[in-house]
Amino acid sequence: MLTSADRVGGRRTVAAADQPLSSWLLAVSVVPVASVLLATVEPQLRHWFLIPVTVSGVLIGVDAFEWLSRRRDVFDPRAVLGLFGLHFYYLAPILHVLLDYWPRMLFPIAADWRTALGAMALLNMVGLAIYRVIVSLPGRAAQPAGGGSRPAGRLRLDEVRFRRIATLAVAAGVLAFLGEVLILGGPAGFLQAMTQDRDALTGLGWLLLLSESFPLMLFSLVVVGWRAALRDRVGVVVLLLIGLVLLQFVVGGLRGSRSAALWPLVIGLLLVHYLVRSISRKVFFATAAVVVVFVYGYGLYKGAGVEVVDIAKGDRTVEEVSATTGRDLPTVLLGDLARADMQALLLDRDRAGQSRWSVGSTYLAAPLSLVPGRLVVDGPRDKSEVGTNVLYGPGVYEAGVHSQRVFGLAGEAILNFGPVGGLLSFVVLGLFLRFAGRYCTQARPGDELAPKLLCLPLCVLTVILLTADLDNILAFFVGEALPLTLVVLCAMARVPAISPVNLDADKSSASEC
């Protein structure tokens, strides 16, 4: 069943400038009270850093309370960002202090970590205020895609063409996967390369990209073609999602690429929500929990490889493997799903005058990461070089230490342009959320398939933007979003104009029948 936020065009919808007062009252009440209670029981939280962290939680948490109040669609981009942002901007800094969890061999120049976190929280607080202003600016009333009259020459998805092109794309992906297996020496060589000798995959980037695209493409082909039949067959939908996960894991997940296994599942779930039947909030929370467990378990696999099988055999415990790999639940919550420590360190180094801005070089280097290395001789400094020298000291990268830290949207902006860049990143975030929110609001209730399919990566990017750098965002788009997007765009066809005379004739014919 659609929530009230799903209803557009003559029915109630939550406009950007129409934030109900109740959501603000909940955010202003719940978040500060939670902070006071936590500070009461934990002396380490009795520090000024908790004030800007709490304000940031209020500013981003408003949309989360909108979602909890069922005034927004389950996958509304702003609501999803509010839910995830409540962890990213509010819970993560507090958990760092509560768990005393910090990156190894990295220390702030400030008096202690709380001061560094507080300085970054101040920047987040101002940035989120800018974000709120941007997303709250009034805009044009949303009209559902495909609703109303169809103008002459309107582009729509040709389902017959979509099925043909998607089938060809699936076939190309299967052939690429078979070619990959043959190149690696058959099934045994494939498993060996995927689980242990991953250096054997060097030079197969674009072949991997093509082969890893076919499970999601096949899933999309089935859902689009049989969406009406699947509406009353929840069990079949669940089996299809499980099949997607298993197939995607075999094709791409075995090589240690978490994104190759995770994001196709999220896109598949969104596809079901938009085309088949609405996903409930209970299922949303259950899926979020599964994702956290998956990220944790996959981290163990990525660090220990096939040795994780020893856990199932009883030869080793989860705690032993976690200690060996350094992958535990705090690492997932604060290392994978947050960037509070890294961003605090970058701002700390900048405030102490110990970092040199890269002035956009990491943004220029990001697209080049998709180009084979032999074609790029001397490109701009990438985030590994810049980040290593900022975090560990000048010349460390040149000495052979190459950090692969990820800094997130605001972190990479600070790395390139300092605190001003960090604030400007919230302008980018606000503009993107305005576009994504409006586009998805229009696509959800309409009868056109193309907007629904094209808005899927926008929903995923809502979460990725906070935690990822530009090279990670481009890798997601090229690896997970681009194949389906290209198929949709290639399957578009121009719809001829429907004149009033023809429309009356159609109605007359229908009445005669």
Side-chain angles (χ1 to χ4, degrees):
M1 178 179 291
L2 299 180
T3 63
S4 59
D6 300 321
R7 301 168 188 165
V8 299
R11 287 173 286 180
R12 186 177 182 277
T13 184
V14 178
D18 183 28
Q19 198 87 43
L21 182 61
S22 60
S23 299
W24 278 102
L25 290 176
L26 282 171
V28 172
S29 302
V30 174
V31 177
V33 168
S35 297
V36 170
L37 291 176
L38 288 170
T40 301
V41 299
E42 177 51 59
Q44 287 295 316
L45 293 177
R46 298 167 194 170
H47 187 276
W48 68 264
F49 94 98
L50 191 59
I51 297 174
V53 166
T54 301
V55 175
S56 297
V58 170
L59 290 172
I60 197 66
V62 174
D63 291 322
F65 287 108
E66 278 285 280
W67 187 90
L68 291 171
S69 301
R70 299 178 179 272
R71 282 191 285 263
R72 289 192 178 275
D73 180 52
V74 175
F75 288 102
D76 178 84
R78 273 181 58 183
V80 171
L81 183 71
L83 289 166
F84 182 65
L86 201 56
H87 165 74
F88 190 89
Y89 294 110
Y90 177 66
L91 292 177
I94 293 175
L95 287 174
H96 272 291
V97 177
L98 288 176
L99 301 176
D100 196 26
Y101 179 91
W102 311 107
R104 297 174 183 176
M105 302 181 66
L106 286 171
F107 307 94
I109 300 171
D112 63 16
W113 271 104
R114 292 176 300 177
T115 302
L117 289 173
M120 187 63 208
L122 285 171
L123 188 147
N124 287 336
M125 183 178 69
V126 177
L128 287 171
I130 296 172
Y131 163 80
R132 290 240 67 92
V133 170
I134 293 175
V135 298
S136 299
L137 292 174
R140 294 177 300 169
Q143 294 294 328
S149 60
R150 300 174 186 173
R154 185 184 184 89
L155 288 173
R156 291 171 62 90
L157 185 74
D158 185 329
E159 289 195 52
V160 175
R161 186 184 296 181
F162 174 83
R163 286 194 291 270
R164 291 172 180 170
I165 298 175
T167 301
L168 291 175
V170 170
V174 171
L175 290 175
F177 175 67
L178 294 176
E180 176 188 339
V181 173
L182 291 175
I183 291 173
L184 295 174
F190 171 78
L191 290 175
Q192 174 75 14
M194 285 288 191
T195 58
Q196 299 178 29
D197 184 21
R198 290 167 184 159
D199 290 338
L201 302 175
T202 303
L204 300 180
W206 288 98
L207 188 65
L208 293 173
L209 173 67
L210 184 58
S211 66
E212 292 172 7
S213 68
F214 89 82
L216 179 59
M217 192 68 67
L218 178 60
F219 181 85
S220 303
L221 186 62
V222 172
V223 171
V224 170
W226 285 277
R227 60 188 183 278
L230 291 172
R231 287 196 179 103
D232 298 322
R233 293 174 172 82
V234 178
V236 176
V237 173
V238 173
L239 289 176
L240 286 173
L241 286 169
I242 293 174
L244 170 64
V245 172
L246 295 177
L247 188 57
Q248 195 71 54
F249 182 77
V250 171
V251 174
L254 281 174
R255 68 179 174 91
S257 175
R258 188 166 50 200
S259 61
L262 175 61
W263 297 128
L265 167 62
V266 176
I267 294 176
L269 199 64
L270 285 163
L271 196 63
V272 171
H273 179 70
Y274 275 86
L275 295 187
V276 180
R277 57 186 298 153
S278 297
I279 302 296
S280 68
R281 280 162 173 74
K282 292 181 180 179
V283 173
F284 180 93
F285 276 124
T287 303
V290 169
V291 167
V292 172
V293 173
F294 171 82
V295 173
Y296 172 62
Y298 201 86
L300 295 179
Y301 168 73
K302 190 172 182 178
V306 293
E307 294 180 12
V308 294
V309 179
D310 294 340
I311 298 175
K313 293 180 179 179
D315 297 336
R316 302 175 70 184
T317 65
V318 174
E319 291 76 13
E320 290 174 343
V321 177
S322 294
T324 303
T325 60
R327 302 290 307 184
D328 51 17
L329 189 57
T331 301
V332 173
L333 295 176
L334 303 178
D336 296 327
L337 301 178
R339 300 286 181 259
D341 52 354
M342 286 295 105
Q343 294 181 357
L345 277 176
L346 292 178
L347 186 61
D348 176 76
R349 300 287 193 268
D350 183 86
R351 291 171 61 222
Q354 295 192 9
S355 67
R356 189 180 65 171
W357 301 349
S358 66
V359 197
S361 71
T362 71
Y363 296 126
L364 295 175
L368 297 178
S369 64
L370 302 175
V371 180
R374 60 181 178 274
L375 299 180
V376 182
V377 180
D378 188 18
R381 295 187 303 155
D382 60 16
K383 73 171 184 183
S384 177
E385 178 180 352
V386 177
T388 300
N389 287 335
V390 168
L391 293 175
Y392 297 95
V396 173
Y397 181 87
E398 289 74 13
V401 177
H402 297 171
S403 172
Q404 299 300 324
R405 300 280 186 178
V406 181
F407 305 107
L409 178 66
E412 188 173 15
I414 293 172
L415 202 63
N416 282 275
F417 301 107
V420 175
L423 290 175
L424 290 176
S425 70
F426 287 91
V427 176
V428 175
L429 183 66
L431 293 175
F432 173 79
L433 261 295
R434 276 184 66 88
F435 168 74
R438 179 178 177 79
Y439 190 86
C440 293
T441 299
Q442 292 176 334
R444 180 75 171 92
D447 61 354
E448 290 191 22
L449 287 174
K452 297 177 188 292
L453 295 172
L454 293 176
C455 77
L456 303 181
L458 296 179
C459 296
V460 179
L461 279 173
T462 300
V463 175
I464 293 179
L465 269 179
L466 293 186
T467 60
D469 300 329
L470 182 58
D471 61 340
N472 308 120
I473 294 172
L474 292 176
F476 158 76
F477 182 75
V478 173
E480 277 70 53
L482 185 60
L484 181 58
T485 300
L486 286 177
V487 169
V488 172
L489 294 177
C490 291
M492 299 295 283
R494 197 169 296 279
V495 176
I498 302 178
S499 66
V501 175
N502 292 335
L503 187 60
D504 292 339
D506 292 338
K507 291 180 179 179
S508 176
S509 299
S511 63
E512 290 176 1
C513 294

